[in-house]
Amino acid sequence: MSADARFSRFLDRFPDYAATGHLDELRRRDYARLDHAGQIYLDYTGAALYGESQVRQHLALLEQGVFGNPHSANPASLSMTGHVESTRRAVLDFFGAGDDYLLVFTPNATGALKLVGESFPFSPASRFLATSDNHNSVNGIREFARRAGAGITYCPLTESELRLDPLWLSAELDRRPAAAESLFALPAQSNYSGVKHDLTWVTTARRRGWRVLLDAAAFVPTNRLDLQRVAPDFLSISFYKMFGYPAGVGALLVRKETLSLLDRPWFAGGTVNFTTVKRLSHVLSAGEAAFEDGTVNYLSIPAVRIGLEHLAAIGMETIGTRVRCLSGWLLEDLHQLKHANGKPFVKLHGPATTEARGGTITFNLYDPFGARIDYRRIEELAGLTGISLRTGCFCNPGANEAAEGLTDEDIALGQTLGNDWNLPNFVRLLEANRLGRGSGAIRASIGLASNFTDVARLVDFLRPLLDQPRAAIGQVSVSDDTCRVIRDSA
């Protein structure tokens, strides 16, 4: 079938895609490096790509201004303070925060989540309730809860689509301790499966007395989030995941009525109104200033406002429509890939349709005899053709465990590796014990600069692997030592 005929069939199946046509012009103008380099980028959940116009605008600002550390009243400092504060307001407005929230600039979403974990008033009477598909940066909060003696509970996922069990979750939310503050944490969208969770859980949990942390890092790059409709106590975001540039800046949005609950375990430069060495005393600054440790990334922060304007000019609904159409087509094509003997080639981890799911598509491949193909080998072969995928567990062990059907016994077996327990070694251990299970997967994710050619190229890359035994496809060529230093990242 010709490329034109293939695209025509796609449009017949997903006619809404035609309304996103101006994104093709944007790609030619602002993301031309993709096609010039022959690159197929399908790692938008790992990081969005920046538009060239964003960088030019930011560079022009830096070239024309004299900017200093904002913690002062000199002209260079005041000029920079104006940019930081206008960007702070722009972020709040972008998410419809009104006057209900404060915004704390952080190095990334992880930094935002750590602020919540270290400052939340966990106690032996508290509970930390989290969905199993939270990112490790949310999972790490359990260590603060554990240290305070709080109870820790994870909400399981359904085996078929990796969604939450509503009856189970509702019952757990009913078990909030009356005598202590407790925290419920969930992602708006799973960075592993692409599942979009029902955000009415935020309202439900708050009505039942929980404080709610919503990790929106994987959701907001392609979806509009209005804090007047969905109102968590805490919201974490990372800007490079939204629009690619700048890296090194994230944010924590905190409801003003919740801020007084937080008790910072330390202070730093920029977070205090006064401190003394002689009397071992300090006075924290008011509002968000008490949480912005040291000097914020002030030269990069104005680029956040530029990035928000970039998204606003495109339209979040337009981005969402394009991602939905491309994801739908890719899901359908992956499902149709089968070996000549009828055995499935692709095992999808997550929903098979676009219903309540985003553009993050995670899967594993199997040969005609049912042997699992090394996902690292697929990433390696894809890279040789200019396709950027991501493999591993994506800092989401709970979703991976549910997707692979890993048992408590499997995890206990992994623990016997001690300090050598990493993903490649764990996979080898599972295979050596012939457990029929693995760990890790392949992830393709779609974003604002994606087009039909990108997803078609991925399917075209995979198709020649049909009917080949695992041995013919080969093993990853990187050494074990190299694998040890590759982090299982987002």
Side-chain angles (χ1 to χ4, degrees):
M1 183 186 299
S2 70
D4 287 345
R6 196 178 187 186
F7 183 58
S8 179
R9 286 185 60 183
F10 163 70
L11 288 178
D12 288 342
R13 179 68 185 85
F14 297 97
D16 290 348
Y17 186 84
T20 71
H22 65 279
L23 281 173
D24 295 317
E25 173 55 33
L26 180 71
R27 174 158 168 157
R28 287 188 289 269
R29 184 178 69 247
D30 234 8
Y31 301 87
R33 61 192 186 278
L34 279 169
D35 298 317
H36 291 163
Q39 292 286 313
I40 302 297
Y41 186 78
L42 293 171
D43 190 24
Y44 285 89
T45 303
L49 294 180
Y50 56 84
E52 294 163 21
S53 62
Q54 294 172 246
V55 180
R56 287 194 297 269
Q57 284 181 257
H58 187 224
L59 179 59
L61 177 70
L62 297 180
E63 287 178 333
Q64 296 165 13
V66 178
F67 302 125
N69 187 325
H71 290 165
S72 188
N74 63 65
S77 178
L78 289 174
S79 180
M80 192 70 252
T81 298
H83 284 289
V84 169
E85 294 309 315
S86 66
T87 301
R88 193 188 308 275
R89 187 67 254 172
V91 176
L92 291 167
D93 290 344
F94 188 85
F95 292 109
D99 293 324
D100 299 323
Y101 287 81
L102 295 174
L103 183 141
V104 179
F105 283 117
T106 62
N108 42 43
T110 297
L113 294 163
K114 184 172 182 287
L115 284 176
V116 176
E118 70 182 12
S119 303
F120 194 83
F122 288 117
S123 73
S126 300
R127 291 186 69 199
F128 175 53
L129 176 63
T131 64
S132 290
D133 60 345
N134 270 299
H135 189 279
N136 268 340
S137 296
V138 176
N139 290 330
I141 293 175
R142 75 187 186 204
E143 299 307 307
F144 294 108
R146 190 202 306 268
R147 189 172 301 169
I152 300 168
T153 305
Y154 277 100
C155 309
L157 305 174
T158 61
E159 292 183 9
S160 58
E161 293 196 336
L162 304 182
R163 297 191 188 275
L164 296 175
D165 180 335
L167 295 178
W168 194 100
L169 179 53
S170 183
E172 285 300 314
L173 290 175
D174 279 340
R175 294 180 55 232
R176 181 190 67 84
E181 293 288 351
S182 294
L183 182 65
F184 171 50
L186 79 160
Q189 178 176 312
S190 170
N191 77 313
Y192 184 98
S193 65
V195 165
K196 292 181 182 178
H197 291 305
D198 184 352
L199 296 185
T200 61
W201 285 117
V202 173
T203 303
T204 299
R206 293 192 73 236
R207 284 176 177 169
R208 298 186 193 181
W210 292 81
R211 302 296 177 174
V212 179
L213 165 61
L214 184 65
D215 176 15
F219 181 81
V220 293
T222 58
N223 300 274
R224 185 174 299 282
L225 181 64
D226 184 353
L227 292 176
Q228 297 304 307
R229 300 181 64 184
V230 179
D233 294 277
F234 311 103
L235 178 77
S236 59
I237 54 176
S238 190
F239 294 113
Y240 77 89
K241 290 184 181 290
M242 294 180 68
F243 36 75
Y245 179 85
V249 184
L252 174 67
L253 281 72
V254 186
R255 289 187 66 86
K256 291 179 179 178
E257 65 184 35
T258 307
L259 188 69
S260 61
L261 285 178
L262 301 182
D263 182 16
R264 297 225 61 193
W266 81 313
F267 65 90
T271 67
V272 289
N273 287 340
F274 194 84
T275 182
T276 171
V277 173
K278 290 185 179 295
R279 297 300 298 269
L280 301 183
S281 180
H282 70 277
V283 178
L284 277 176
S285 300
E288 67 273 354
F291 294 85
E292 291 180 342
D293 296 331
T295 301
V296 296
N297 192 351
Y298 60 88
L299 290 178
S300 293
I301 284 174
V304 170
R305 186 178 70 251
I306 293 169
L308 294 175
E309 292 168 352
H310 184 68
L311 292 185
I314 299 169
M316 294 305 300
E317 289 73 17
T318 297
I319 297 170
T321 297
R322 172 158 288 216
V323 168
R324 175 177 54 80
C325 293
L326 293 175
S327 299
W329 186 87
L330 180 56
L331 287 165
E332 291 180 1
D333 258 32
L334 289 176
H335 177 71
Q336 293 169 7
L337 293 177
K338 297 185 186 300
H339 297 292
N341 64 4
K343 293 289 184 67
F345 177 49
V346 178
K347 179 184 178 182
L348 185 68
H349 301 310
T353 71
T354 58
E355 180 67 27
R357 70 116 71 230
T360 301
I361 299 172
T362 299
F363 57 95
N364 271 299
L365 303 176
Y366 293 81
D367 77 1
F369 309 102
R372 180 190 178 103
I373 300 169
D374 188 339
Y375 58 83
R376 294 172 300 157
R377 178 61 172 163
I378 299 302
E379 182 181 25
E380 183 178 52
L381 292 174
L384 294 175
T385 69
I387 300 175
S388 291
L389 302 170
R390 188 168 291 259
T391 63
C393 293
F394 323 116
C395 285
N396 201 318
N400 177 69
E401 291 165 9
E404 301 289 357
L406 295 177
T407 66
D408 288 345
E409 290 75 17
D410 296 333
I411 303 303
L413 182 64
Q415 287 178 312
T416 65
L417 293 169
N419 290 336
D420 289 327
W421 194 13
N422 58 36
L423 193 53
N425 285 344
F426 187 41
V427 170
R428 278 193 290 269
L429 185 64
L430 292 172
E431 290 184 347
N433 284 268
R434 302 182 183 277
L435 295 173
R437 293 180 290 278
S439 189
I442 304 158
R443 187 179 75 186
S445 50
I446 297 164
L448 70 89
S450 298
N451 62 17
F452 177 73
T453 299
D454 293 337
V455 293
R457 277 275 302 275
L458 174 59
V459 175
D460 291 344
F461 157 72
L462 293 174
R463 202 179 299 278
L465 301 178
L466 284 168
D467 301 320
Q468 293 195 42
R470 180 170 66 174
I473 295 172
Q475 299 296 314
V476 66
S477 62
V478 297
S479 68
D480 287 350
D481 287 340
T482 303
C483 290
R484 292 178 198 277
V485 299
I486 297 176
R487 296 183 178 181
D488 178 32
S489 61

